[in-house]
Amino acid sequence: MPCYAIDGVIPVVHPSAHVHPTAVLIGDVHIGPGCYVGPNASLRGDFGRIVLHEGANVQDCCVVHGFPGSETVVERNGHVGHGAVLHGCVIRHDALVGMKAVVMDGAVLGAYSILAACAFVKAGQDLPEKSLIAGLPAKVLRLLSEDEIRWKLDGTRTYQQLSQRCLASLSEVQPLAAAEADRPALPASLHQPLHASRQD
Protein backbone atom coordinates (compact mmCIF):
# COMPACT_ATOMS: atom_id res chain seq x y z
CA MET A 1 0.00 0.00 0.00
CA PRO A 2 1.23 3.57 -0.53
CA CYS A 3 2.22 4.52 3.02
CA TYR A 4 4.04 7.76 3.77
CA ALA A 5 5.75 9.28 6.80
CA ILE A 6 5.59 13.03 7.33
CA ASP A 7 7.65 14.96 9.89
CA GLY A 8 8.93 11.57 11.05
CA VAL A 9 5.43 10.24 11.87
CA ILE A 10 4.70 6.84 10.32
CA PRO A 11 1.26 5.20 9.92
CA VAL A 12 0.50 2.20 12.14
CA VAL A 13 -1.41 -0.81 10.77
CA HIS A 14 -2.27 -3.81 12.94
CA PRO A 15 -1.22 -7.11 11.29
CA SER A 16 -4.82 -8.40 11.37
CA ALA A 17 -6.13 -5.39 9.42
CA HIS A 18 -6.42 -5.25 5.64
CA VAL A 19 -5.52 -2.04 3.80
CA HIS A 20 -6.01 -2.31 0.03
CA PRO A 21 -2.84 -1.70 -2.00
CA THR A 22 -4.40 1.36 -3.69
CA ALA A 23 -5.40 3.05 -0.41
CA VAL A 24 -3.12 5.85 0.77
CA LEU A 25 -2.04 6.34 4.39
CA ILE A 26 -0.10 9.46 5.37
CA GLY A 27 1.42 10.32 8.75
CA ASP A 28 -0.46 9.95 12.04
CA VAL A 29 -2.85 7.18 11.01
CA HIS A 30 -3.70 4.25 13.30
CA ILE A 31 -5.48 1.21 11.84
CA GLY A 32 -6.65 -1.19 14.55
CA PRO A 33 -7.17 -4.95 14.67
CA GLY A 34 -9.50 -6.49 12.11
CA CYS A 35 -10.10 -3.23 10.25
CA TYR A 36 -10.79 -2.99 6.51
CA VAL A 37 -9.66 -0.05 4.35
CA GLY A 38 -10.93 -0.27 0.77
CA PRO A 39 -9.51 0.59 -2.65
CA ASN A 40 -8.60 4.24 -3.29
CA ALA A 41 -9.39 5.38 0.25
CA SER A 42 -7.29 8.35 1.41
CA LEU A 43 -6.45 8.66 5.11
CA ARG A 44 -4.37 11.81 5.48
CA GLY A 45 -2.88 12.19 8.93
CA ASP A 46 -0.70 15.11 7.82
CA PHE A 47 -2.50 17.68 10.04
CA GLY A 48 -4.46 15.74 12.67
CA ARG A 49 -4.57 12.15 13.90
CA ILE A 50 -6.80 9.49 12.31
CA VAL A 51 -7.81 6.43 14.33
CA LEU A 52 -9.79 3.38 13.27
CA HIS A 53 -10.66 1.21 16.25
CA GLU A 54 -11.05 -2.57 16.20
CA GLY A 55 -13.29 -3.98 13.49
CA ALA A 56 -14.01 -0.64 11.77
CA ASN A 57 -14.17 -0.32 8.01
CA VAL A 58 -13.56 2.60 5.65
CA GLN A 59 -14.64 1.62 2.16
CA ASP A 60 -13.66 2.50 -1.42
CA CYS A 61 -12.89 6.15 -2.28
CA CYS A 62 -13.49 7.51 1.24
CA VAL A 63 -11.55 10.58 2.39
CA VAL A 64 -10.54 10.92 6.05
CA HIS A 65 -8.79 14.13 7.14
CA GLY A 66 -8.92 16.90 9.72
CA PHE A 67 -7.67 20.34 10.74
CA PRO A 68 -4.30 20.69 12.54
CA GLY A 69 -4.46 19.25 16.05
CA SER A 70 -7.77 17.45 15.44
CA GLU A 71 -8.59 13.77 15.80
CA THR A 72 -10.82 11.94 13.34
CA VAL A 73 -11.99 8.73 14.99
CA VAL A 74 -14.04 5.74 13.86
CA GLU A 75 -14.74 3.68 16.95
CA ARG A 76 -15.14 -0.10 17.29
CA ASN A 77 -17.32 -1.62 14.56
CA GLY A 78 -17.77 1.76 12.87
CA HIS A 79 -18.86 1.35 9.25
CA VAL A 80 -18.07 4.01 6.63
CA GLY A 81 -19.69 3.49 3.22
CA HIS A 82 -18.28 4.07 -0.26
CA GLY A 83 -17.19 7.62 -1.05
CA ALA A 84 -17.94 9.14 2.37
CA VAL A 85 -15.91 12.09 3.71
CA LEU A 86 -14.96 12.35 7.39
CA HIS A 87 -13.25 15.55 8.53
CA GLY A 88 -12.20 16.02 12.14
CA CYS A 89 -15.24 14.14 13.50
CA VAL A 90 -16.03 11.15 15.70
CA ILE A 91 -18.06 8.13 14.57
CA ARG A 92 -19.08 6.32 17.75
CA HIS A 93 -18.99 2.55 18.11
CA ASP A 94 -21.33 0.48 15.94
CA ALA A 95 -22.51 3.51 13.92
CA LEU A 96 -22.85 3.53 10.12
CA VAL A 97 -22.01 6.37 7.73
CA GLY A 98 -23.85 5.92 4.44
CA MET A 99 -22.39 6.16 0.97
CA LYS A 100 -21.21 9.66 -0.03
CA ALA A 101 -22.24 11.16 3.31
CA VAL A 102 -20.13 14.03 4.71
CA VAL A 103 -19.41 14.47 8.43
CA MET A 104 -17.74 17.77 9.31
CA ASP A 105 -15.37 19.01 12.01
CA GLY A 106 -16.31 18.52 15.65
CA ALA A 107 -19.42 16.51 14.76
CA VAL A 108 -20.25 13.29 16.62
CA LEU A 109 -22.40 10.48 15.22
CA GLY A 110 -23.91 8.58 18.16
CA ALA A 111 -23.35 4.89 18.83
CA TYR A 112 -25.49 2.43 16.84
CA SER A 113 -26.89 5.24 14.65
CA ILE A 114 -27.28 5.05 10.88
CA LEU A 115 -26.47 8.14 8.79
CA ALA A 116 -28.18 7.86 5.41
CA ALA A 117 -26.40 8.01 2.07
CA CYS A 118 -25.53 11.53 0.86
CA ALA A 119 -26.39 13.13 4.22
CA PHE A 120 -24.47 16.22 5.40
CA VAL A 121 -23.59 16.57 9.08
CA LYS A 122 -22.73 20.16 10.00
CA ALA A 123 -19.61 21.10 11.98
CA GLY A 124 -20.14 20.65 15.69
CA GLN A 125 -23.41 18.73 15.29
CA ASP A 126 -23.91 16.15 18.06
CA LEU A 127 -26.20 13.37 16.87
CA PRO A 128 -27.85 10.90 19.26
CA GLU A 129 -27.39 7.16 19.46
CA LYS A 130 -29.65 4.48 17.96
CA SER A 131 -31.16 6.93 15.45
CA LEU A 132 -31.86 7.08 11.74
CA ILE A 133 -30.41 10.35 10.47
CA ALA A 134 -30.70 11.82 6.97
CA GLY A 135 -30.76 15.02 4.96
CA LEU A 136 -28.87 18.20 4.10
CA PRO A 137 -28.34 19.25 6.81
CA ALA A 138 -28.72 15.98 8.68
CA LYS A 139 -31.75 15.59 10.98
CA VAL A 140 -32.92 12.80 13.22
CA LEU A 141 -35.85 11.00 11.59
CA ARG A 142 -36.63 8.38 14.24
CA LEU A 143 -35.19 5.79 16.59
CA LEU A 144 -33.86 2.59 15.06
CA SER A 145 -35.46 -0.75 15.77
CA GLU A 146 -33.43 -3.56 17.33
CA ASP A 147 -33.73 -5.41 14.01
CA GLU A 148 -32.14 -2.46 12.17
CA ILE A 149 -29.30 -2.29 14.69
CA ARG A 150 -28.71 -6.04 14.26
CA TRP A 151 -28.79 -5.63 10.46
CA LYS A 152 -26.06 -2.99 10.66
CA LEU A 153 -23.85 -5.18 12.85
CA ASP A 154 -24.30 -8.10 10.44
CA GLY A 155 -23.08 -5.85 7.60
CA THR A 156 -20.04 -4.79 9.61
CA ARG A 157 -19.23 -8.42 10.39
CA THR A 158 -19.34 -9.11 6.65
CA TYR A 159 -16.59 -6.51 6.19
CA GLN A 160 -14.58 -7.99 9.05
CA GLN A 161 -14.80 -11.33 7.27
CA LEU A 162 -13.79 -9.61 4.02
CA SER A 163 -10.67 -8.30 5.74
CA GLN A 164 -9.75 -11.88 6.67
CA ARG A 165 -10.52 -13.10 3.15
CA CYS A 166 -8.30 -10.39 1.65
CA LEU A 167 -5.41 -11.24 3.97
CA ALA A 168 -5.76 -14.90 3.01
CA SER A 169 -6.37 -14.73 -0.74
CA LEU A 170 -6.30 -11.26 -2.35
CA SER A 171 -3.63 -11.15 -5.03
CA GLU A 172 -2.86 -9.13 -8.14
CA VAL A 173 -3.44 -11.16 -11.32
CA GLN A 174 -3.82 -10.77 -15.05
CA PRO A 175 -7.44 -11.02 -16.28
CA LEU A 176 -8.57 -14.14 -18.12
CA ALA A 177 -9.60 -13.95 -21.76
CA ALA A 178 -12.72 -16.01 -20.99
CA ALA A 179 -14.40 -17.44 -17.90
CA GLU A 180 -13.40 -20.94 -16.86
CA ALA A 181 -15.95 -23.73 -17.28
CA ASP A 182 -15.62 -24.62 -13.59
CA ARG A 183 -15.39 -21.01 -12.34
CA PRO A 184 -15.44 -20.93 -8.50
CA ALA A 185 -18.26 -19.12 -6.72
CA LEU A 186 -17.64 -16.45 -4.10
CA PRO A 187 -18.65 -17.33 -0.52
CA ALA A 188 -22.36 -16.86 0.05
CA SER A 189 -23.66 -14.54 2.76
CA LEU A 190 -27.10 -14.20 4.29
CA HIS A 191 -26.61 -10.44 4.63
CA GLN A 192 -28.71 -8.42 2.18
CA PRO A 193 -29.88 -4.81 1.74
CA LEU A 194 -32.20 -3.60 4.49
CA HIS A 195 -35.15 -3.10 2.15
CA ALA A 196 -34.78 -6.67 0.88
CA SER A 197 -34.55 -8.11 4.37
CA ARG A 198 -37.97 -6.60 5.17
CA GLN A 199 -39.70 -8.45 2.33
CA ASP A 200 -41.30 -11.75 3.33
Side-chain angles (χ1 to χ4, degrees):
M1 82 198 76
C3 191
Y4 302 93
I6 188 167
D7 299 328
V9 180
I10 301 171
V12 177
V13 178
H14 192 275
S16 65
H18 169 73
V19 179
H20 190 272
T22 62
V24 178
L25 309 182
I26 299 172
D28 198 5
V29 177
H30 301 255
I31 309 296
C35 289
Y36 174 88
V37 178
N40 298 309
S42 174
L43 287 75
R44 280 181 49 211
D46 47 13
F47 289 158
R49 176 172 291 178
I50 295 167
V51 182
L52 305 187
H53 290 191
E54 181 175 2
N57 68 74
V58 170
Q59 298 171 20
D60 324 49
C61 302
C62 288
V63 174
V64 185
H65 195 235
F67 279 106
S70 69
E71 278 202 7
T72 306
V73 179
V74 181
E75 293 184 349
R76 176 180 49 82
N77 293 335
H79 189 109
V80 183
H82 315 290
V85 177
L86 307 181
H87 204 275
C89 58
V90 176
I91 309 303
R92 293 288 185 212
H93 68 87
D94 297 283
L96 181 149
V97 176
M99 293 180 273
K100 296 208 172 203
V102 176
V103 186
M104 293 299 293
D105 304 274
V108 178
L109 177 62
Y112 301 102
S113 283
I114 293 177
L115 179 66
C118 298
F120 177 78
V121 178
K122 297 185 293 186
Q125 196 168 2
D126 194 353
L127 295 164
E129 65 178 31
K130 296 184 178 180
S131 299
L132 177 62
I133 299 158
L136 297 112
K139 294 180 182 174
V140 177
L141 301 184
R142 60 174 174 82
L143 288 174
L144 291 171
S145 69
E146 291 302 314
D147 283 344
E148 289 168 325
I149 291 171
R150 275 193 296 273
W151 172 84
K152 182 270 162 197
L153 182 56
D154 287 345
T156 301
R157 286 177 177 149
T158 299
Y159 268 89
Q160 291 164 353
Q161 292 162 3
L162 177 59
S163 187
Q164 295 170 11
R165 289 169 55 206
C166 289
L167 289 172
S169 70
L170 185 72
S171 61
E172 188 170 3
V173 296
Q174 292 298 314
L176 301 173
E180 320 93 300
D182 58 348
R183 188 172 182 82
L186 292 170
S189 170
L190 297 178
H191 191 69
Q192 56 186 337
L194 187 57
H195 76 278
S197 69
R198 289 176 171 152
Q199 296 171 0
D200 296 324

